[in-house]
Every structure is written in structure tokens, then in C-alpha cells.
Amino acid sequence: MMDLNLLRLVPILAKEKNVTRAARKANITQSAFSHALNRLREQLNDEMFVRTRNGMEPTPYAASMIPVIENALSKLEAATRGKGNFDPSRDPHTFYIGAVDYFEFMYMPALTAAFKTSAPNVRLSVDILSETIKFERVERGQLDAFIGVDNLQYIPQYFNKHPLISDHYVAIASVERTDLPEQLTLKHLVTEAQIHLPAVSSGADHIDSWLLDQHLYRPLTTVVQSYAVGGRVAVASGYLMCVPYRIAKELAAMMPLRIMDLPEGSPSYDLILLTHRLFDYQSALQWLINELKTVRID
């Protein structure tokens, strides 16, 4: 059986790139660290770290293990801490979050800036994964939380649901599309070629569902995986793209895009935070939930 005390040395050496410094960081002697590294190499049948001009660099196998080890150690730390208090100004912690593109685009800059002073040892790791994978990983404790879009997927009853932010949809297009009015009509939506970023991985989308209720469809010509790419495609092609308003403001500040209102009755975009009842009692996760619910997003 693998000794966890050996595995914890891997991310330390990957960061320090020097056995002497890594041993000091791990509070063991250099000799003990070197011996432990040799044991790892034997047990895992891999060189693990190779000396280069930039210091000790992990092999591809070792590099693939680092996030898994950090996640496991973080979970063990949280489990042994139990319901003890989490001090964000002092305690190191990595939160693993599955999220939609809206969260990464709008929340990560604000959270990173806030944590820089209030929680300097806290790190956020965000994965943009399918909803099924996110749910499964939260259930297994591999993700701390899942941030998704409300009313588009089934939410198991053992998840706690925390509303985060509500937005409304608008359309963006190149500033050269002066032929389009300030507020689009249903006719525009069903005749204008459009760029599509699915709200969830299944392809379900608020706009499409809203139109389908009226027995209408829109011509989707291009599917993208991020708002930033969608904005660039809109500039280059002249196509429309329906996005939440806050996203549209950011994109229009970066690119030659104009913002247009959608027809009356268009749906809202509601971002939600989902946590598992088995894990969200932990003080560190409770702190994160509060931070996510109170951070200011303009």
C-alpha cells in the first residue's frame, strides 16, 4: 500500500524544484527526502522527477498525479479538521469547483482579486465539465461544488441549492450591423444566423426552450465553447449571439460589438451553486459559499 507521507512530497518538490528547499518545506532532512523520493520511484516504477537546467522537473506521470494528490490531501485535511473553524487569512486550502463559463468569466477575476488580500493561501481550481461529470465528482468528494444554470437540468434532492446571481439575455453583434434595431423582434431571432454557446453540456438552452414553446426555432450556424470566442466570431462574421447582459457588457468593452435587447418575455439566466449535503457542513466550504453569495459582480 502506498504511503501518503511519500505522496505529499510530490507537489512540494514540483513547486520548489530543489530537493534541499523541498526537504526544508516538508520539515525533514535532505537525506530523508532523497530516500523517500527513491522509494516513490521504486513503488511507482517511474523516475518521477528529472534534474534539468530549471531544477527538478516532474515527469508527465508525476505531473498528472499532482492535482490528484493535492485534492486528496485537501479532503483529508478537511475531514480531520471536522467542524473546526477555517481561517481564510491563514489557512491554506484549494477549492475544486465545476462550473459553467459564466462563472469563470465573471466571478474568477473578482474572487481572485478579493482573495489576494483576504485569503492569500486559498486557491480556486475551476473545471468546465459536463453536468453529469460534475454531479458525480461532487458526490465522490472530488469537487467541492458545482456552479450551474437553474431550470435546465435535474438536481438530485441530496444537493443543497444556493442562488448566486440573476441576469437577463441580450444579443450582441458586430458594430457594423447597423441594420439591426436596438430591440430585436421574434422575426430577427428566427431569421438571423446565430452563434451558440450551450448553457449546459446537454445542449439545453433558455432561448431555444422559450422559442420552442412558441413553436419557433432559430438558425444556429456556429457552436462555441466560450463567450470570448463567441464574441470574436460575432465580430468576424456579423452573426448574432444571445448572451447574458453582464457578459455582453464585458465583451463590448473588449471588442467592436453592439448590444441589443431581446423581445419582451425573453427568459432570465439564473446562476446557482450546488453543494452536497455530505460535505457542505465543513467550515472551509461554508466560508466559500458565503464568499460566492456576497461577492460583488457588476
Side-chain angles (χ1 to χ4, degrees):
M1 181 178 294
M2 177 59 62
D3 185 348
L4 288 179
N5 285 321
L6 297 179
L7 290 177
R8 75 180 181 89
L9 303 180
V10 175
I12 296 176
L13 184 53
K15 181 178 180 181
E16 299 297 329
K17 300 185 182 300
N18 177 277
V19 172
T20 301
R21 290 197 301 267
R24 190 179 304 121
K25 188 81 172 180
N27 293 317
I28 60 177
T29 65
Q30 180 178 339
S31 175
F33 197 105
S34 297
H35 179 68
L37 181 58
N38 287 331
R39 288 179 58 194
L40 268 176
R41 286 166 168 159
E42 292 175 3
Q43 292 186 28
L44 298 176
N45 194 30
D46 188 87
E47 189 65 15
M48 298 302 289
F49 286 88
V50 177
R51 193 178 304 279
T52 72
R53 69 176 66 182
N54 297 318
M56 299 293 285
E57 293 286 350
T59 64
Y61 176 63
S64 71
M65 292 178 63
I66 291 171
V68 179
I69 295 170
E70 289 180 330
N71 190 15
L73 292 174
S74 177
K75 298 301 180 186
L76 285 171
E77 179 188 0
T80 55
R81 185 168 54 238
K83 293 188 177 181
N85 293 326
F86 172 70
D87 182 355
S89 66
R90 178 179 55 85
D91 295 344
H93 195 91
T94 298
F95 292 101
Y96 295 89
I97 300 173
V100 291
D101 193 54
Y102 187 104
F103 173 81
E104 189 173 45
F105 197 96
M106 295 302 303
Y107 274 75
M108 287 298 285
L111 289 170
T112 302
F115 290 1
K116 183 178 180 180
T117 54
S118 66
N121 297 314
V122 169
R123 186 174 69 171
L124 289 176
S125 178
V126 177
D127 286 325
I128 308 298
L129 304 165
S130 73
E131 283 67 36
T132 301
I133 294 175
K134 291 171 190 169
F135 278 126
E136 290 175 353
R137 290 190 177 181
V138 173
E139 286 184 297
R140 293 199 295 262
Q142 295 173 336
L143 290 176
D144 293 292
F146 165 29
I147 296 170
V149 185
D150 204 9
N151 300 321
L152 286 181
Q153 66 269 312
Y154 167 74
I155 301 173
Q157 62 181 6
Y158 38 83
F159 278 81
N160 284 325
K161 176 177 162 182
H162 313 269
L164 288 183
I165 197 170
S166 184
D167 209 335
H168 67 281
Y169 278 97
V170 295
I172 57 172
S174 168
V175 293
E176 296 181 358
R177 290 297 309 270
T178 55
D179 57 308
L180 295 171
E182 292 299 316
Q183 182 171 28
L184 303 180
T185 64
L186 282 174
K187 184 178 179 180
H188 288 112
L189 286 185
V190 299
T191 58
E192 287 283 341
Q194 293 173 52
I195 304 154
H196 183 44
L197 173 63
V200 293
S201 61
S202 65
D205 184 87
H206 297 102
I207 302 294
D208 291 325
S209 298
W210 173 58
L211 290 174
L212 185 59
D213 288 341
Q214 304 173 71
H215 307 288
L216 298 172
Y217 304 88
R218 56 182 175 148
L220 302 177
T221 61
T222 304
V223 178
V224 297
Q225 298 302 313
S226 75
Y227 290 117
V229 172
R232 294 189 63 190
V233 174
V235 171
S237 66
Y239 293 161
L240 294 181
M241 184 176 182
C242 293
V243 301
Y245 175 64
R246 290 181 177 86
I247 297 289
K249 284 199 306 179
E250 294 294 324
L251 293 176
M254 296 186 289
M255 308 176 201
L257 292 164
R258 57 177 300 211
I259 300 173
M260 294 152 287
D261 292 327
L262 294 186
E264 293 293 334
S266 59
S268 64
Y269 182 101
D270 300 308
L271 200 68
I272 53 173
L273 167 65
L274 298 171
T275 56
H276 201 289
R277 294 178 182 176
L278 276 176
F279 308 111
D280 66 5
Y281 70 89
Q282 298 166 358
S283 62
L285 188 50
Q286 284 296 317
W287 173 83
L288 179 64
I289 292 170
N290 183 67
E291 289 295 307
L292 293 175
K293 291 168 72 172
T294 57
V295 65
R296 180 178 175 82
I297 304 296
D298 295 326

